[in-house]
Amino acid sequence: MTRRTTAGVAMAMLILLIAADLTASPPNPYRQPAIVALGSGAASAGGFCGALPE
Amino acid sequence: MTHSIAGRSTLVAGALVLILSVAIFAGVRFGLLLMIGLGFGLVLEGLRFGFAGPWRAMIVRRDPSGMLAQLMAIGIVATVALPLIDASGGELVGAEAPVGWAMIGGAFVFGMAMQVVLGCGSGTLVNAGSGNPIGLLALPFFAIGSFAGAYHLIDWTELGALPIIRFTGWSGVAITLTALLGVAVFFLRQAAPEHRSIPRRYLIAAVLIAVLAIANLIVVGQPWGVVYGLGLWVAKGATASGMDLSGSAFWAASGSVERVQSSLLTDYTSLTNIGIMAGAFLVASWRSGGLSQGMPTLPMRAWLATIVAGFLLGYSSRLAFGCNVGAFFSGVSTGSLHGWVWFVAAFIGSIQGVKLRPLLGLEARS
C-alpha cells in the first residue's frame, strides 16, 4: 500500500463530509455576505478558535 | 497517471470547479476563502513549510531557520493587520483571547502532542491530504478532541484568566516587531554555527503564507484559524445523530447553534481547512513520486499514541484558544498577548514531546 491509497481515503472522507452536510444544511446563495469584509460595514461574525461563545 | 499533462490538467480543473461551485452555490466570499485555503495547502506542502518540523529542528539540531521564517511571516502580517484592524471599526477583528491557567496548560499539552505526531493544526491537515498515515489517523481524533474541548471550554476557563490584553495600532506593530526580533536574536544565539541562515524556500514560503493570512483577514474579517472548524464538523455529526448539546455552555450558545445548523461551506475555518487538505493533495499528486511512498512499519503502541495525541491536540487547542495557527501565528500577528504566552508554553511542551516520540515507537531510538 502506498500514500496513493491513504491520500485517496483522506479525499473520500472530505467529499463524504461535504456531501452529508450539503444534504442536511444546503447553502443559500441569496443570503451571502459582501464579497470582502473590509469596507463592508458589517461586523465580523464568524466562528473562531479564540472566541468564547456569544 | 496524475503526472501526465492530462492528469495535471484534471487536478487544476477540479480545483477550479470546486472554487467556482462554492462561489456560485454558497457565495463569492466563500469561494474566495476556499481559494485562499487551497493557497495555504499548496504553499505548506509545496514548499514543505510548517510549524512542528521547524520547532523540532530547533530543539534537536539547534536549527532555527524554519522558526525564523515563521517569525518573519508573523511580522509581515502584524505590520499590515494591526493598523487595518484598528481602523476597521469592527469589520476586522484579531485573534483575541485571555491568558489563563487552562490556556497555558492547553498550549503545553498541544506542544507535546504535536511533536508526537509531528503535525500541528495545519500540519495534520496537510499530512492527511498528502497521504501521511499518521496525519490521516490523527485527524478524526483531532476533530473529536476539538469538539470535546469546546464542550468543556467554559468549565476550564473558570480556573482563572486575565482580561484580554492586546497591542493595537502602530504602537502594537512596534511592540510586536520588537518582540519578534528579540525572539529571533535569542534563537540565533542558540543556533549551531552551520544553521544561521534561512533557506530560500522558507523565505518564499514565509512571504506567501503572510500574503494569504492577510487576504484571509481582509476577505472574512477574522484571522486564519484551524481548530474551530474541526470541532464544528463533529458537532454537526453529533447533532445529526440526535446528540443533545444543550448541556454545553459553548455548543448551546446561540452563535454556535446557528453555525451548527448552517452549511459548512459558509464556515470560515472549515473552508480554509478543506482548502489546505485539497491543496496538499494537489501538490502530492502533482509531484513526481509524491504518492508512491510506502507505509511505515510501526509498532501498535505508535498507532495508539497517534490516536491519543490526535485527541489531545484537538482538546488542548480549544482550552488554549487555538493551535499554532489560531493562537501563535494569528494571535501574535494581531496583537493578542495570549499568542506570546501560548508560544512559550507550547515550546516547553514541544521539548517534552520530542523526548516522548521515540518512547512511543514513532521513530528509532537514538
Side-chain angles (χ1 to χ4, degrees):
Chain A
M1 191 164 71
T2 64
R3 285 193 175 200
R4 194 172 301 283
T5 310
T6 41
V9 169
M11 287 305 106
M13 281 165 56
L14 206 55
I15 291 166
L16 200 68
L17 174 78
I18 296 169
D21 186 65
L22 278 174
T23 312
S25 325
N28 180 355
Y30 297 102
R31 289 186 59 205
Q32 58 177 295
I35 296 174
V36 174
L38 182 67
S40 66
S44 175
F48 189 71
C49 337
L52 286 164
E54 300 138 33
Chain B
M1 284 295 290
T2 49
H3 303 132
S4 64
I5 292 173
R8 286 175 169 169
S9 304
T10 308
L11 285 172
V12 174
L16 289 175
V17 166
L18 187 67
I19 291 165
L20 272 176
S21 303
V22 171
I24 292 167
F25 295 110
V28 179
R29 178 186 289 193
F30 306 117
L32 263 180
L33 186 61
L34 179 61
M35 197 160 70
I36 291 167
L38 268 166
F40 279 128
L42 294 174
V43 173
L44 291 170
E45 174 65 13
L47 293 171
R48 299 192 188 281
F49 187 66
F51 290 92
W55 287 31
R56 179 181 164 85
M58 181 64 213
I59 294 164
V60 176
R61 300 193 303 275
R62 290 193 296 139
D63 174 4
S65 55
M67 292 194 76
L68 294 175
Q70 290 166 15
L71 299 176
M72 188 180 123
I74 291 170
I76 295 170
V77 177
T79 307
V80 178
L82 284 167
L84 269 184
I85 291 170
D86 208 31
S88 76
E91 288 172 359
L92 311 185
V93 294
E96 299 154 6
V99 174
W101 293 115
M103 187 240 113
I104 295 169
F108 175 85
V109 172
F110 185 90
M112 195 161 58
M114 91 169 179
Q115 289 303 334
V116 169
V117 297
L118 258 188
C120 57
S122 57
T124 302
L125 293 169
V126 166
N127 289 345
S130 58
N132 177 327
I134 302 285
L136 182 62
L137 180 62
L139 183 59
F141 295 96
F142 195 142
I144 293 167
S146 174
F147 165 74
Y151 197 101
H152 302 133
L153 178 61
I154 305 302
D155 299 329
W156 283 103
T157 53
E158 283 170 1
L159 285 177
L162 295 171
I164 295 173
I165 297 168
R166 298 183 300 142
F167 311 116
T168 58
W170 286 107
S171 63
V173 173
I175 292 167
T176 304
L177 293 184
T178 306
L180 287 169
L181 193 65
V183 174
V185 169
F186 172 78
F187 281 121
L188 274 171
R189 291 180 70 154
Q190 305 295 318
E194 67 273 24
H195 294 310
R196 289 198 174 136
S197 61
I198 308 177
R200 192 177 147 85
R201 75 179 163 96
Y202 277 172
L203 289 173
I204 296 169
V207 171
L208 292 175
I209 289 291
V211 168
L212 289 165
I214 293 166
N216 190 119
L217 177 70
I218 289 172
V219 170
V220 303
Q222 66 182 45
W224 178 26
V226 171
V227 296
Y228 176 86
L230 296 178
L232 182 68
W233 297 357
V234 176
K236 279 177 153 287
T239 307
S241 337
M243 188 174 164
D244 178 15
L245 302 184
S246 62
S248 162
F250 185 92
W251 291 115
S254 60
S256 302
V257 171
E258 190 186 333
R259 282 180 209 112
V260 168
Q261 289 169 349
S262 302
S263 169
L264 270 190
L265 301 180
T266 62
D267 175 62
Y268 300 146
T269 53
S270 294
L271 280 168
T272 41
N273 289 351
I274 291 167
I276 289 170
M277 280 184 74
F281 175 77
L282 211 82
V283 172
S285 305
W286 185 289
R287 191 182 270 151
S288 184
L291 293 176
S292 57
Q293 199 176 325
M295 294 294 109
T297 308
L298 296 172
M300 183 53 78
R301 71 178 190 281
W303 298 109
L304 291 173
T306 300
I307 290 171
V308 174
F311 180 84
L312 286 176
L313 280 169
Y315 196 93
S316 61
S317 59
R318 289 320 317 263
L319 309 194
F321 297 111
C323 60
N324 296 58
V325 171
F328 173 49
F329 189 96
S330 294
V332 171
S333 65
T334 61
S336 181
L337 178 67
H338 94 289
W340 286 106
V341 177
W342 191 100
F343 175 46
V344 173
F347 196 80
I348 295 168
S350 279
I351 295 169
Q352 305 311 313
V354 166
K355 292 176 190 164
L356 264 179
R357 195 172 148 84
L359 300 176
L360 296 169
L362 281 148
E363 62 187 55
R365 282 201 199 199
S366 54

